[in-house]
Amino acid sequence: MFITRLFSGIVLVLIALVTLITGGGLLAAILLFISLVAFHELCRAMRAREELKKIDGLEITGIVCIAAYYIVLYFSADKSIAVMTLTAGIMAFLFVYVIRFPRFHANQVAASVFSYIYAPVMLSFIFLTRDLHYGKYIVWLILISSWGCDTCAYVVGMAFGKTIGNHKIFPKLSPKKSLEGCIGGVAGAVAIGALFGYFFVETVVTEQEVTWVFAVICGVGAVFSQMGDLAASAIKRNHDIKDYGKLIPGHGGIMDRFDSVIVTAPMIYFLARLLMSSALIQ
């Protein structure tokens, strides 16, 4: 199991490297695929469909709206049009609800809209971050704050959790998570972010010292990444499922592997816009 998980993790990192370095259409296409799978997994997990073996009108609406959103996001220079497309998608769910009444229950529609926004829209901030000036550097903070934090939390929790107390912070939600691991994850993300900024970005971004900015962004992002991980776990526990899917061997589904990235991506985008000089990110 460990070898399978390790191999899948290496493949994911390689795909992320190629995709984030390339950006553009490849990044948009990969994010669209991930978003569609995540939407499907969430719909199934939250019982948004009456018959889980069939794709119904709500899921078809979601697929079309997600595709439209990413197409507009990629081709339109005016990002406000993407917001309009997002809003039109929500209206589309309501339209299906009304014309097919009483085929769908209000809870199913609400779950579908949540699934539409939660993963697909929030993951799109990876593209928006990469599209910023110097975004090819800033976008890596998303992975540092999520996957980097997760790795550091695991290592610290295993190494020091039992020796210094192994304090459980959410025993009912995630029994394996310890306070020591959470602190170690945040500290590790801060350190990686600072090292990345100092050795790889300082020489490129000469208009501003970015080491401390990257450290702060990764620290805050790491806190929210753990919240995203726990939120996804809460959804699984609410609906009594172990994994969202089986697409990624050893990891589960897209939602199991990208649960922290989903929340971290918009946080990194907004923090970068807030903490870095406006001249650098326009």
Side-chain angles (χ1 to χ4, degrees):
M1 181 67 177
F2 174 76
I3 299 299
T4 302
R5 185 178 178 87
L6 177 63
F7 179 76
S8 297
I10 293 173
V11 172
L12 284 174
V13 170
L14 291 176
I15 293 174
L17 283 170
V18 174
T19 304
L20 293 181
I21 290 173
T22 305
L26 177 63
L27 177 59
I30 294 295
L31 287 175
L32 173 58
F33 171 76
I34 293 173
S35 297
L36 289 173
V37 176
F39 173 74
H40 169 74
E41 291 175 351
L42 276 170
C43 281
R44 185 182 64 175
M46 299 183 70
R47 304 298 192 267
R49 294 176 291 162
E50 291 184 358
E51 298 179 11
L52 298 180
K53 294 182 179 180
K54 293 183 179 180
I55 297 178
D56 60 21
L58 289 175
E59 188 163 0
I60 292 173
T61 301
I63 291 171
V64 173
C65 291
I66 293 167
Y69 172 72
Y70 271 93
I71 290 171
V72 171
L73 193 67
Y74 176 68
F75 286 103
S76 176
D78 184 359
K79 301 308 178 186
S80 64
I81 299 179
V83 177
M84 294 170 59
T85 306
L86 168 63
T87 306
I90 298 175
M91 298 300 177
F93 281 109
L94 297 178
F95 181 76
V96 172
Y97 177 41
V98 170
I99 64 172
R100 295 298 307 276
F101 189 86
R103 171 68 172 82
F104 299 112
H105 192 275
N107 291 340
Q108 293 176 300
V109 179
S112 297
V113 173
F114 172 79
S115 301
Y116 166 59
I117 296 174
Y118 182 51
V121 175
M122 294 178 74
L123 280 172
S124 70
F125 279 90
I126 297 176
F127 181 84
L128 291 172
T129 303
R130 178 63 175 80
D131 205 38
L132 294 172
H133 190 46
Y134 292 121
K136 63 181 179 180
Y137 301 107
I138 300 173
V139 72
W140 293 104
L141 302 186
I142 296 173
L143 296 188
I144 292 173
S145 299
S146 51
W147 293 354
C149 171
D150 185 47
T151 301
C152 291
Y154 176 80
V155 172
V156 171
M158 292 295 293
F160 302 104
K162 294 181 180 180
T163 59
I164 61 177
N166 195 25
H167 299 90
K168 303 298 183 182
I169 52 176
F170 298 104
K172 293 183 179 180
L173 177 56
S174 186
K176 294 183 179 180
K177 285 191 180 298
S178 65
L179 176 61
E180 295 78 11
C182 291
I183 295 174
V186 175
V190 169
I192 297 172
L195 291 171
F196 175 67
Y198 183 78
F199 287 105
F200 293 97
V201 189
E202 284 281 1
T203 57
V204 179
V205 183
T206 57
E207 304 94 329
Q208 178 181 1
E209 293 183 3
V210 298
T211 299
W212 73 268
V213 176
F214 277 26
V216 170
I217 290 176
C218 286
V220 177
V223 173
F224 280 90
S225 78
Q226 295 185 58
M227 183 188 70
D229 183 16
L230 291 167
S233 296
I235 293 174
K236 288 193 291 186
R237 289 192 177 277
N238 282 157
H239 297 90
D240 195 27
I241 60 174
K242 184 178 183 297
D243 294 316
Y244 282 100
K246 300 179 180 179
L247 181 65
I248 308 173
H251 293 269
I254 288 293
M255 284 296 303
D256 295 294
R257 182 64 275 179
F258 287 84
D259 49 6
S260 58
V261 177
I262 289 169
V263 176
T264 305
M267 288 305 305
I268 298 303
Y269 175 82
F270 291 122
L271 285 170
R273 297 296 301 265
L274 178 65
L275 295 179
M276 296 193 70
S277 300
S278 60
L280 301 181
I281 58 178
Q282 294 299 326

